[in-house]
Amino acid sequence: MENSTGSGGIRFTFARNSSYVIPGVYDLSVEDTNWVLTSSFIIFTMQTGFGMLESGCVSVKNEVNIMMKNIIDIVLGGFTYWLFGYGMSFGRGPLTNPFIAIGDFLIDPSVEDPLMGPIFAAFLFQLSFSTTATTIVSGAMAERCNFKAYCIFSFFNTVVYCIPAGWVWGEHGFLNNLGCVDIAGSGPVHLIGGASAFASALMLGPRLGRYEKGIDPLPLGNPVNACMGLFVLWWGWLAFNSGSTYGVSGAKWQYAARAAVMTMMGSFGGGTFSVLYSMFKNDGRMDIVDLINGILGALVSVTAGCFLYHAWEAIIIGLIGSVLTCITMPLFDKMAIDDPVGASSVHGVGGIWGVIAVGLFADNPIPLDTTNGRRGLFKGGGWYLFGVQCLSALCLCVWGVFSTVAMLWIINKIVPIRMDPNEELLGADLMEHRVRHGQIGISRALSALTPLQAELGEMRDVAKIGMNPGHEKYIERMKMAELKLQSWRDYGEEKFREASAKKSSRRLSSIARAVPLFRRRTQNDQEITNDVPRGTFTVSHQVQQANNNSNGKDNPNFTWVD
């Protein structure tokens, strides 16, 4: 029989031959390793999607800050996952217990290790999941979280994810041993991330002025970026779910294909509902946030059992996930839980439904033992799997909320987690990263805040993005030179008019005397001469005359430029 439990790998350790025992998580063939690595690479692109979506949903003066947080999630969160996170999920030390794994810290197998390739592939795959769970929280903390405090949070948030990931996917985990099924992480990734996002938004409080005009969403900073972020996440989700077959050997490749299709089916169901809901709520107009979060909520919902469903079941599960997401977003706002990107609803509420849906709709994926031969309640499998899935959702939700509250409480004792109100008004991009956007006026805020906090005056000298401050003096010199040249041109034109006025009468009399003589000497040019009005000279002749007559006497410093 082939074994697969999803992203956590094989459930049981077994002997491939009589001399070497292979841990289940490392039972990867060459083809499986190739599939796992490729999926890991694609999953990492979801960081781009999260960054674009979150930065598009916040105000422009905070979009760089939210992208920086996503970078920090990979750098610091990834580093701590290597230090201790992976070992807390899948470690095989003697002190490992049903609550936490202990061992395999700072994982780095030698070249002599026959499992070097599978170990590295498994680590990279799990790392991509860990950074995804961590970055879900950044959107909920946007626009008012101290960046230094967030760096500390990102460094230790690995603990919040890795311990419950071991419960569900580790060989030691008590939920795993009870028979919990979660193929690609509706629970350990999304529910944990959503619960942590809820706790973070609760601890930080709402943004300044968020609910002064009701609970309607604030204007998006960049709707196009938000939509592009959805597409990148959509793409990454296919690898997220298909890659969680943990290989393509044997029958796993068939279920990898099924997972991809059911993922899309779920998004179709959720997207259809969010379109109808948004148009009904907004009198025929489409709201971007409703559409995006409705689709994402559906994707979260179908993730736990992505290859355990039929197409119509995936559509229904995605539709229900979208309903729950769209309904709970305004409910959280009524509770003054300010979540700028809706992560609490999308990942938290959608994650709860995704875990429970397995207990209702799951098939037994023969010949894989993903469900240990069990089926969902609606498939005649009884109440056991449904009960285990409900227990899993409860445990993960409680852990995510309380562990995050405890962590932020401790961090707040070291570094305030909330930005200073004055800095929040000016924006994290300017205050934390010295990025001044050209399209954002800060003069009024600086004028109002400078008497209260004098050091804000230095922000006036921060250059706008996309500009080289060193070029400004050269541009100013060019402007001054142009003004000076124009003044000399005006002076020359004035002198020319004065010279023309003084000599006009003398020229006319000279022409009157010269024309009869000219006519007698140029009998053949009679018609041309008659067409030239008396007193008419070419412009070049007038300019030359003005130069000759002035001769520098009126203005010794003037040089005519034509």
Side-chain angles (χ1 to χ4, degrees), residues 402-423:
F402 284 97
S403 62
T404 302
V405 168
M407 183 179 299
L408 288 175
W409 184 83
I410 295 172
I411 293 173
N412 193 49
K413 296 296 183 181
I414 304 171
V415 179
I417 60 175
R418 179 77 188 232
M419 291 178 64
D420 182 272
N422 297 339
E423 296 181 351

Side-chain angles (χ1 to χ4, degrees), residues 288-359:
I288 296 174
V289 175
D290 286 337
L291 179 60
I292 291 175
N293 285 347
I295 294 172
L296 292 177
L299 288 167
V300 170
S301 301
V302 79
T303 292
C306 52
F307 61 69
L308 303 178
Y309 308 134
H310 291 288
W312 67 271
E313 294 170 337
I315 292 173
I316 291 176
I317 291 170
L319 187 148
I320 296 175
S322 181
V323 170
L324 295 173
T325 298
C326 293
I327 290 176
T328 55
M329 282 194 297
L331 291 180
F332 284 133
D333 282 323
K334 288 182 179 179
M335 297 167 57
I337 305 297
D338 182 16
D339 187 342
V341 298
S344 303
S345 296
V346 171
H347 302 280
V349 177
I352 292 174
W353 165 239
V355 172
I356 295 175
V358 173

Side-chain angles (χ1 to χ4, degrees), residues 426-443 446 455-470 472:
L426 289 169
D429 288 1
L430 179 64
M431 302 306 300
E432 298 278 11
H433 312 295
R434 297 299 188 266
V435 174
R436 182 174 178 179
H437 299 274
Q439 65 269 43
I440 300 178
I442 64 169
S443 299
L446 285 171
E455 58 266 27
L456 292 178
E458 69 181 69
M459 300 305 163
R460 299 179 186 274
D461 298 326
V462 176
K464 295 179 180 178
I465 59 173
M467 297 177 63
N468 183 340
E472 290 300 307

